[in-house]
């Protein structure tokens, strides 16, 4: 057991076991243990004449000489490995370690230097000639793999300047996705279609990069619309501003805005821009904003123009047709036929509300149905923590159905966020229709019962008479009593 060769190989084997088994679990502690083993290994070699800076002794025993040479070469390679690990564990920032570019490049350089040193000191090979030969070979290889080298150096620039990190949602050279990996060759993006797109670092270094995660709490949402040129721009912009005000997820600063982008012979292009504080909200807000823009423009009598469609002046809309179109957008009237809606359209009365004016108060039983024609209304309910905005209403949305159909109070406060126009239908005007169409009454109660879940969750449950009675049956009984129905 006093043979230094046996002890040296035992230390090397012990180090390999620690490396493969990852013992101890803590990375820094494991590195310190391996450094202690390397220090003991170095002390053993230098104290027994196995200096890594010269050939191994034992000239009379070829097996021992070869084993000594192997131990000296292992000393160089083990030192290179521990040096790269120490840099990786103790000095590099965590995000650089995840990207693995610097540690791979530095590790390759250190191992190359260790191999050259082992060849020169241990094996006593002519390193100068080897270096000269390897230099010529490096030139040939560099020309052969210049595109790969370009990716490597571009990766160094990207990792140094840090235009994006792993986890950021970016757009590189027209490719948009989430950064899932950054290495010495390329950046890997997970696209919205669930595919991995690999962008070479050389391409990323030259391309325009949009990082949607910077700043982290500010993300823009923009929708582009083409409008008929006969529409007055101030009217269009006012409608788009009302649409922007109707999205609850939009933050107040920076303020949302609408602008005229450009004009053509056939249309005028407008942009509506808003900001959200979470990247995950962009998709839902974009879809909601498109829908609200359509509804507000339709309420203002403005038509959207398909791109490339020839210009043709639109026919003026009759007042009765406008009211009929408004009734068709109300959910509880989906069960009515066109003739039945035509009977209700002339009965609608118009009313306007200024900004911040109260439209409906809680605990007040409305005797009419209110349908939003233009503008934005805010619906606020009370819960245990105080007032909570439940939703915002825009063109085509209705309020007061519970009072109109079943004589129930509103249970919410509704006020105008912008100057708004509404149409109202009185209870007495709806009673004859409900008496003639019992099936319509039942369908209305079914739709209305499905809309109570949100308010119930906020702590203002529907006051059903008994636990066994369903909300639908309770509403139907209330409708029969309120409108004197006999079915």
């Amino acid at each position: 057991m006093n043979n230094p060769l046996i002890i040296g190989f035992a230390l090397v084997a012990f180090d390999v076991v620690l490396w493969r088994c990852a013992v101890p679990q803590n990375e820094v502690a494991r590195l310190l243990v391996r450094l202690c083993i390397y220090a003991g290994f170095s002390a053993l070699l230098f104290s027994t004449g196995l200096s890594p800076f010269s050939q191994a002794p034992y000239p009379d025993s070829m097996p021992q000489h070869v084993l000594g040479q192997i131990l000296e070469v292992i000393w160089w390679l083990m030192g290179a490995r521990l040096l790269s690990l120490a840099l990786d564990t103790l000095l590099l920032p965590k995000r650089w370690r995840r990207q693995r570019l610097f540690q791979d490049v530095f590790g390759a350089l250190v191992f190359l230097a260790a191999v050259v040193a082992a060849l020169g000191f241990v094996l006593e090979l002519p390193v100068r000639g080897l270096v000269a030969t390897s230099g010529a070979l490096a030139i040939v290889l560099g020309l052969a793999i210049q595109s790969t080298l370009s990716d490597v150096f571009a990766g160094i620039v990207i990792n140094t300047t840090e235009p994006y990190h792993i986890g950021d949602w970016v757009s590189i050279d027209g490719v948009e996705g989430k950064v899932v990996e950054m290495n010495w060759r390329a950046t890997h993006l997970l696209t919205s279609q669930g595919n991995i797109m690999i962008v070479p670092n050389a391409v990323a270094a030259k391309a325009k990069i949009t990082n949607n995660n910077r700043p982290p709490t500010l993300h823009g949402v923009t929708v582009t619309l083409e409008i008929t040129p006969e529409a007055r721009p101030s009217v269009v912009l006012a409608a788009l501003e009302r649409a922007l005000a109707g999205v609850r997820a939009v933050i107040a600063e920076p303020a949302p805005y609408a602008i005229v982008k450009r004009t053509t012979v056939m249309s005028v292009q407008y942009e509506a821009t808003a900001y959200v504080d979470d990247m995950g909200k962009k998709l839902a807000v974009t879809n909601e904003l498109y829908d609200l823009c359509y509804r507000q423009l339709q309420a203002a009598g403005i038509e959207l123009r398909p791109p490339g469609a020839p210009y043709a002046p639109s026919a003026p809309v009759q007042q009765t047709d406008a009211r009929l179109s408004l009734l068709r957008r109300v959910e509880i009237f989906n069960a009515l036929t066109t003739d039945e809606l035509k009977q209700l359209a002339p009965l609608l009365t118009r009313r306007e509300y200024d900004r911040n004016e109260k439209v409906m108060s809680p605990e007040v039983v409305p005797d009419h149905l209110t349908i939003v024609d233009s503008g934005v209304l805010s619906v606020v309910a009370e819960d245990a923590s105080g007032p909570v905005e439940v939703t915002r209403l825009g063109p085509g949305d209705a309020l007061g159905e519970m009072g109109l159909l079943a004589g129930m109070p509103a249970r919410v406060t509704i006020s105008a966020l912008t100057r708004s126009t509404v149409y109202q239908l009185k209870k007495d005007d709806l009673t004859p229709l409900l008496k003639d169409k019992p099936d319509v009454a039942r369908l209305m109660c079914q739709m209305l019962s499905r809309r109570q879940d949100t308010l119930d969750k906020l702590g203002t449950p529907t006051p059903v008479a008994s636990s066994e009675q369903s909300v639908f049956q309770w509403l139907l009984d209330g409708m029969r009593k309120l409108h004197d129905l006999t079915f």
Side-chain angles (χ1 to χ4, degrees):
M1 294 298 296
N2 293 327
N3 192 324
L5 296 178
I6 296 176
I7 299 175
F9 279 106
L11 290 174
V12 172
F14 184 51
D15 181 77
V16 171
V17 169
L18 292 179
W19 170 54
R20 295 296 297 175
C21 298
V23 178
Q25 297 295 327
N26 184 273
E27 191 175 8
V28 176
R30 185 166 62 251
L31 175 62
L32 294 177
V33 172
R34 294 188 65 187
L35 287 174
C36 292
I37 294 174
Y38 184 70
F41 182 50
S42 302
L44 174 69
L45 294 185
F46 284 103
S47 64
T48 57
L50 291 170
S51 173
F53 295 96
S54 62
Q55 281 201 0
Y58 314 112
D60 298 334
S61 176
M62 182 56 64
Q64 289 184 327
H65 178 75
V66 172
L67 291 175
Q69 294 282 81
I70 293 174
L71 279 181
E72 292 179 355
V73 172
I74 290 175
W75 183 88
W76 284 103
L77 298 180
M78 186 185 295
R81 176 59 180 166
L82 290 176
L83 179 60
S84 61
L85 283 177
L87 174 69
D88 178 27
T89 305
L90 303 177
L91 299 180
L92 285 183
K94 289 185 178 180
R95 59 178 179 270
W96 288 13
R97 295 177 61 193
R98 289 196 303 266
Q99 296 159 7
R100 298 197 60 81
L101 176 64
F102 284 98
Q103 60 201 85
D104 289 345
V105 174
F106 181 78
L109 294 176
V110 170
F111 268 96
L112 179 61
V115 169
V116 172
L119 293 176
F121 290 112
V122 178
L123 302 181
E124 295 185 351
L125 295 178
V127 178
R128 291 184 179 180
L130 181 63
V131 171
T133 304
S134 62
L137 181 62
I139 294 175
V140 175
L141 289 176
L143 293 175
I145 60 172
Q146 56 182 340
S147 61
T148 303
L149 291 176
S150 177
D151 289 332
V152 172
F153 287 105
I156 294 175
V157 173
I158 290 175
N159 281 268
T160 303
T161 57
E162 298 181 341
Y164 49 82
H165 298 145
I166 292 178
D168 288 353
W169 192 272
V170 300
S171 176
I172 304 175
D173 196 35
V175 179
E176 187 171 352
K178 181 180 180 181
V179 180
V180 295
E181 182 181 348
M182 298 170 62
N183 54 38
W184 57 270
R185 180 186 171 274
T187 297
H188 295 231
L189 301 179
L190 178 63
T191 66
S192 57
Q193 290 78 29
N195 303 320
I196 294 293
M197 183 69 69
I198 300 176
V199 181
N201 288 333
V203 174
K206 298 177 182 178
K208 293 181 179 179
I209 300 174
T210 301
N211 192 332
N212 295 317
N213 286 76
R214 298 184 184 176
T217 58
L218 183 65
H219 308 281
V221 175
T222 300
V223 299
T224 303
L225 304 165
E226 290 198 14
I227 308 298
T228 174
E230 66 183 351
R232 184 174 176 178
S234 61
V235 177
V236 177
L237 292 174
L240 295 181
E241 288 172 357
R242 290 194 294 269
L244 291 167
V247 185
R248 286 197 300 153
V250 169
I251 60 178
E253 292 294 335
Y257 63 90
I259 62 171
V260 180
K261 188 67 176 178
R262 65 187 183 92
T263 61
T264 64
V265 176
M266 296 180 291
S267 65
V268 179
Q269 191 176 89
Y270 295 82
E271 277 189 358
T273 301
Y275 300 91
V276 294
D277 56 5
D278 186 356
M279 182 67 184
K281 298 179 181 178
K282 287 190 66 174
L283 179 60
V285 169
T286 300
N287 293 336
E288 183 180 3
L289 184 55
Y290 263 116
D291 180 71
L292 287 172
C293 287
Y294 175 83
R295 291 160 60 185
Q296 292 288 356
L297 289 170
Q298 188 180 42
I302 300 168
E303 62 175 313
L304 296 173
R305 179 163 302 282
Y311 167 70
S314 57
V317 179
Q318 299 296 326
Q319 186 179 25
T320 305
D321 294 337
R323 295 182 180 184
L324 179 62
S325 176
L326 183 63
L327 287 174
R328 283 175 175 163
R329 286 182 279 168
V330 180
E331 183 183 9
I332 65 170
F333 292 146
N334 288 346
L336 301 182
T337 64
T338 301
D339 291 337
E340 292 164 346
L341 292 176
K342 286 182 178 179
Q343 296 176 16
L344 295 177
L347 303 178
L348 294 174
T349 56
R350 178 187 172 97
R351 183 170 179 181
E352 294 186 354
Y353 290 93
D354 290 328
R355 184 177 180 182
N356 297 326
E357 186 176 355
K358 187 173 293 185
V359 180
M360 191 171 295
S361 301
E363 307 307 329
V364 174
V365 180
D367 61 351
H368 55 266
L369 177 72
T370 302
I371 306 171
V372 183
D373 181 53
S374 65
V376 182
L377 304 183
S378 175
V379 181
V380 178
E382 292 284 342
D383 70 352
S385 61
V388 176
E389 187 178 42
V390 179
T391 186
R392 293 182 182 179
L393 304 178
D397 290 328
L399 53 143
E401 307 100 315
M402 298 291 286
L404 179 72
L405 297 179
M408 288 181 56
R411 297 194 294 155
V412 293
T413 300
I414 302 177
S415 56
L417 281 181
T418 65
R419 183 173 178 80
S420 304
T421 302
V422 302
Y423 282 91
Q424 294 179 339
L425 178 67
K426 295 181 179 179
K427 175 182 71 67
D428 295 337
D429 293 332
L430 186 62
T431 300
L433 179 64
L434 297 177
K435 288 183 176 181
D436 294 339
K437 300 288 184 179
D439 293 338
V440 171
R442 289 189 176 90
L443 288 174
M444 285 182 175
C445 287
Q446 288 177 354
M447 294 179 185
L448 199 56
S449 63
R450 291 195 296 264
R451 298 179 60 180
Q452 302 309 306
D453 292 341
T454 301
L455 291 176
D456 293 344
K457 292 176 182 177
L458 285 174
T460 54
T462 304
V464 180
S466 64
S467 58
E468 292 81 9
Q469 188 180 30
S470 66
V471 176
F472 165 73
Q473 187 62 44
W474 187 78
L475 288 171
L476 190 59
D477 292 342
M479 180 185 291
R480 287 170 179 164
K481 183 182 299 184
L482 183 68
H483 294 274
D484 194 22
L485 305 179
T486 58
F487 59 86

